[in-house]
């Protein structure tokens, strides 16, 4: 039995290679990690010329009751950043902090993202009913994006898919 836990995208690469070593599939594992790295690097290269101050702030809703988001030291935050966004709560110290609805309203994200498992709860109609949320730019502009939870909630090979999906959502003109 072997357990691995990655909190960062580079940690995912390392875990894939480690599992390859343990199972006798080093070459295949290295190919998977290299392919992931190349795909993620390609997305990062497309958005790197966008000045930080012009990148959309993104609130990633991990859970709604209590309201939780993702901190800066998580692979979810790295998905946002690699896709060309700015994590709305990059300044916190916890990995998955509980935040207030008022704080999200005050910080006014340009986009809201979450796993598609939040689908019923994360529609413009539902979010608009939260006190003050109808005035958030992301809600008003209908920039709410649900990413496949299988690719965005698990620190595995499909994180490259999550970065690409997040980038397409944030920059549809760049990633047609």
């Amino acid at each position: 039995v072997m357990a691995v836990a990655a909190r960062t995208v580079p940690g995912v690469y390392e875990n894939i290679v480690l599992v390859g070593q343990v199972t006798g599939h080093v070459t295949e594992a290295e190919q998977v990690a290299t392919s992931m790295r190349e795909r993620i690097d390609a997305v990062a290269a497309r958005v790197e010329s966008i000045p930080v101050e012009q990148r959309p702030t993104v609130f990633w809703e991990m859970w709604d009751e209590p309201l939780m988001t993702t901190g800066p030291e998580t692979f979810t935050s790295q998905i946002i950043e690699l896709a060309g966004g700015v994590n709305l709560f990059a300044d916190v110290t916890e990995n998955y902090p509980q935040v207030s609805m008022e704080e999200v309203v005050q910080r006014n994200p340009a986009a809201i993202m979450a796993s598609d498992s939040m689908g019923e709860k994360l529609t413009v109609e539902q979010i608009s009913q939260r006190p003050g949320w109808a005035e958030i730019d992301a809600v008003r502009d209908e920039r709410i994006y649900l990413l496949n939870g299988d690719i965005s909630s698990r620190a595995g090979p499909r994180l490259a898919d999550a970065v690409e999906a997040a980038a397409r959502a944030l920059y549809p003109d760049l990633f047609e």
Side-chain angles (χ1 to χ4, degrees):
V1 175
M2 181 177 96
V4 294
R7 293 188 179 166
T8 66
V9 174
V12 173
Y13 304 147
E14 292 169 13
N15 283 350
I16 289 170
V17 172
L18 176 62
V19 170
Q21 291 169 345
V22 170
T23 62
H25 296 277
V26 175
T27 302
E28 295 93 330
E30 288 174 348
Q31 288 172 345
V32 169
T34 298
S35 174
M36 281 180 65
R37 188 177 296 110
E38 288 171 352
R39 290 172 59 199
I40 290 172
D41 288 349
V43 170
R46 286 179 113 167
V47 300
E48 76 180 341
S49 65
I50 301 168
V52 174
E53 61 275 2
Q54 292 178 14
R55 294 178 181 214
T57 54
V58 178
F59 172 66
W60 190 290
E61 186 165 316
M62 296 296 293
W63 196 250
D64 62 322
E65 291 183 29
L67 187 61
M68 295 176 72
T69 192
T70 185
E73 301 298 320
T74 63
F75 69 85
T76 313
S77 183
Q78 290 180 351
I79 289 171
I80 294 168
E81 293 165 7
L82 290 165
V86 176
N87 182 350
L88 191 68
F89 285 92
D91 60 335
V92 300
T93 57
E94 296 175 64
N95 285 337
Y96 299 100
Q98 188 173 332
V99 296
S100 71
M101 295 227 184
E102 296 82 6
E103 182 75 10
V104 176
V105 171
Q106 180 183 356
R107 291 182 182 218
N108 191 23
I112 296 172
M113 290 186 167
S115 163
D116 60 3
S117 64
M118 299 292 292
E120 296 175 2
K121 299 176 182 183
L122 216 56
T123 64
V124 171
E125 296 78 26
Q126 290 292 325
I127 290 181
S128 295
Q129 294 176 21
R130 294 176 179 176
W133 282 50
E135 298 306 313
I136 291 176
D137 288 346
V139 177
R140 197 178 55 245
D141 298 339
E142 297 186 10
R143 293 195 70 192
I144 300 168
Y145 308 109
L146 300 175
L147 293 154
N148 180 313
D150 289 335
I151 65 171
S152 65
S153 300
R154 294 180 175 89
R158 294 188 289 175
L159 273 182
D161 296 334
V163 172
E164 291 168 344
R168 279 191 305 275
L170 295 176
Y171 301 102
D173 295 341
L174 271 180
F175 295 92
E176 293 179 305

